[in-house]
Amino acid sequence: MDPILNIAGLTMDFGGIRALDHLDLRVQQGEIVALIGPNGAGKTTFFNCLTGIYTPTSGDLLLTPPGQNTRRLNGLKPNKVTRQGLARTFQNIRLFPNMTVLENVMIGRHCRSRAKVLGAIFRNRKTVQEEKEIVALSLSILEKIGLADMHAEFAKNLPYGAQRRLEIARALATEPLILLLDEPAAGMNPQETLELDELITVIRDDGLSILLIEHDMKLVMSLSDHIFVMDYGKKIAEGNPEEIRNNPEVIKAYLGEDIDDA
Ligand SMILES: Nc1ncnc2c1ncn2[C@@H]1O[C@H](COP(=O)(O)OP(=O)(O)OP(=O)(O)O)[C@@H](O)[C@H]1O
Ligand SMILES: [Mg+2]
């Protein structure tokens, strides 16, 4: 079976800096795949290329939704990439702090709603119906994420870990095939990280594929079906958690950090 995501020879230059250097990476449907590597390795740049924020210098970004034809994502604008089924969270939280938890999730959903500007202004019956459906769907996602009780709170009033979960809820509201998480555990305490581990497992069990950038090795080793390791824009290793833990190249790249403790 074709992988749901197939990245081939992806290269991204910023002036003289080659941030991604012929990167190859695959995600199979339903897998949790981790992308790890030291600071500055190019992980976020990879997400930015994949989601249309940057146009890659060369290479292919290929998406094959189950049972459908392969499509090339190169050059699509971010909103088009979202419609193709990729949703992401950001390394730094990007919520609307003065909107409610529910509204933050509804914004994710609007990328798929059909009501156009005129409908929104005149609020015809179709628009009102659609809005009701968006509220219902957003509440059901908040239920799953464990934030339904807080739906009327301003986003800025949530504890840090809950804000990170809310970002995941907003991404889920776009009904993605693949969820891209950029360091979701950053800044979380051990309890919040444990809850995140459970949440990501639940999302995968719902049938999504997940691509996870993360520095927390314990989380990476516990969740991942497959791990890619990058350094200086290049893939230096790939394999299952056991293989990665024992790979000399990886140990060298992480010199000074305790990958063994995970
Ligand atoms: N817009 C840009 N212009 C110029 N250089 C950039 C740009 N974006 C990223 N880079 C460079 O590309 C390299 C990779 O950065 P990137 O943010 O992708 O690393 P990362 O693996 O996500 O690191 P971290 O773990 O610290 O988040 C760095 O050298 C960075 O300075
Ligand atoms: Mg990064």
Side-chain angles (χ1 to χ4, degrees):
M1 211 168 68
D2 280 334
I4 187 165
L5 189 66
N6 186 4
I7 309 302
L10 186 67
T11 298
M12 180 78 219
D13 291 337
F14 297 108
I17 298 174
R18 177 150 290 187
L20 295 175
D21 193 353
H22 295 91
L23 186 71
D24 295 327
L25 184 154
R26 287 159 169 244
V27 178
Q28 300 292 341
Q29 161 61 27
E31 272 188 345
I32 299 177
V33 173
L35 182 59
I36 66 172
N39 294 116
K43 305 177 298 294
T44 298
T45 302
F46 167 59
F47 271 15
N48 287 339
C49 288
L50 190 53
T51 54
I53 293 176
Y54 298 147
T55 304
T57 306
S58 59
D60 276 323
L61 307 167
L62 303 173
L63 176 74
T64 312
Q68 295 183 35
N69 291 334
T70 299
R71 53 212 63 178
R72 206 162 172 257
L73 301 177
N74 297 57
L76 294 185
K77 293 270 174 296
N79 63 329
K80 291 272 163 52
V81 176
T82 308
R83 278 169 188 260
Q84 287 294 333
L86 272 69
R88 78 179 286 185
T89 63
F90 291 87
Q91 193 163 345
N92 303 310
I93 292 183
R94 292 194 190 178
L95 291 167
F96 295 98
N98 292 318
M99 290 171 80
T100 66
V101 166
L102 178 63
E103 285 163 347
N104 269 279
V105 181
M106 288 173 66
I107 281 172
R109 184 61 203 166
H110 275 113
C111 88
R112 289 219 184 257
S113 74
R114 270 157 309 153
K116 296 289 181 289
V117 174
L118 277 183
I121 293 169
F122 294 114
R123 298 191 60 76
N124 55 29
R125 221 172 42 199
K126 200 169 125 209
T127 317
V128 172
Q129 181 56 31
E130 197 163 73
E131 200 71 11
K132 270 192 193 152
E133 285 166 15
I134 291 176
V135 169
L137 178 97
S138 302
L139 281 172
S140 74
I141 292 171
L142 285 172
E143 198 80 53
K144 172 167 297 179
I145 295 280
L147 291 177
D149 290 351
M150 297 180 169
H151 74 271
E153 269 301 335
F154 287 124
K156 65 181 176 192
N157 293 339
L158 294 189
Y160 179 82
Q163 292 195 17
R164 295 227 80 134
R165 293 162 76 87
L166 178 54
E167 284 218 296
I168 296 177
R170 186 175 57 188
L172 289 178
T174 69
E175 295 198 316
L177 299 167
I178 306 178
L179 181 62
L180 312 172
L181 302 171
D182 196 346
E183 298 197 28
M188 283 189 172
N189 64 38
Q191 179 57 31
E192 289 171 334
T193 307
L194 207 62
E195 288 167 11
L196 178 70
D197 188 323
E198 284 165 16
L199 175 61
I200 293 175
T201 307
V202 166
I203 294 170
R204 191 267 303 277
D205 291 348
D206 278 350
L208 268 73
S209 310
I210 294 165
L211 194 46
L212 169 72
I213 295 175
E214 187 49 65
H215 283 292
D216 183 324
M217 282 305 146
K218 197 159 166 238
L219 188 67
V220 166
M221 294 295 171
S222 131
L223 280 173
S224 307
D225 297 302
H226 199 79
I227 301 172
F228 288 89
V229 190
M230 292 177 64
D231 201 7
Y232 298 107
K234 286 194 168 97
K235 178 170 76 185
I236 60 166
E238 68 171 290
N240 64 34
E242 210 41 50
E243 290 163 341
I244 292 304
R245 208 194 296 270
N246 298 315
N247 184 304
E249 283 291 313
V250 179
I251 294 167
K252 203 167 84 191
Y254 276 93
L255 209 63
E257 288 182 47
D258 254 340
I259 199 165
D260 269 350
D261 284 354

